[in-house]
Amino acid sequence: PRSCPGRIAFRKRYVIEVVMGVGVRRLQPGRAMFHRYVLVGGIATGFHYLILLGLVELGHVAPAIAAGTGAAIGALVAYAGNRRFTFSECTQSHRIALPRFLLLAALGAVMNSAIVWTGSELVGWHYLASQIVATVFTLFVTYTFNRLWAFR
């Protein structure tokens, strides 16, 4: 099968990676991949929030519409970043990987909402505490399924 552009060759068990411009450290490939997934997700979230703020504050668009637009663009940024940077050794075509990624993103959003609702409504946690739990749980679940299914 053909491999994706931007393929990164790993040397045996370790990869050298620059971390946040601070220095160089050695990480196992699986850990480096997870760190890249978190970084790409942070960038995509930044795009989501910038679009949300811009549309609401400058464009006077309704917040719900702006949030949906920002989330959709953030998902595309996440796909592009994960395809090129996180899972650069993938063999799936875009025709297969993109729908799988978007399905997992949608399921992740539903899972996130369900965890926040459960934590804040049923358990009685503060909604931000519920959101932190939901974010961590959803991060690990979506990373695992993206690695094993969408970008394999």
Side-chain angles (χ1 to χ4, degrees):
R2 86 179 168 83
S3 80
C4 298
R7 181 181 168 107
I8 296 173
F10 293 106
R11 286 185 297 181
K12 295 204 178 186
R13 233 186 114 134
Y14 295 95
V15 63
I16 296 177
E17 182 175 280
V18 176
V19 179
M20 302 299 287
V22 174
V24 176
R25 68 185 216 187
R26 297 171 69 81
L27 297 171
Q28 293 179 356
R31 282 188 150 172
M33 188 180 294
F34 180 74
H35 289 173
R36 288 191 299 267
Y37 187 79
V38 171
L39 178 64
V40 168
I43 292 167
T45 300
F47 272 88
H48 176 171
Y49 277 77
L50 283 173
I51 289 164
L52 169 65
L53 288 169
L55 288 175
V56 170
E57 299 299 327
L58 302 175
H60 307 291
V61 173
I65 301 222
T69 304
I73 292 171
L76 294 175
V77 169
Y79 174 77
N82 282 314
R83 177 65 184 237
R84 294 280 264 155
F85 183 59
T86 306
F87 303 108
S88 58
E89 294 185 358
C90 73
T91 58
Q92 297 287 6
S93 70
H94 289 293
R95 184 176 53 79
I96 294 171
L98 179 60
R100 288 180 177 186
F101 177 84
L102 293 175
L103 174 64
L104 290 173
L107 292 173
V110 169
M111 184 178 3
N112 183 68
S113 295
I115 293 169
V116 169
W117 181 83
T118 301
S120 61
E121 297 295 323
L122 297 182
V123 179
W125 294 343
H126 190 274
Y127 74 94
L128 289 176
S130 299
Q131 181 60 68
I132 291 168
V133 170
T135 298
V136 171
F137 184 78
T138 302
L139 171 70
F140 283 102
V141 170
T142 57
Y143 169 74
T144 300
F145 282 98
N146 274 308
R147 184 173 57 83
L148 296 175
W149 185 57
F151 294 107
R152 66 182 173 99

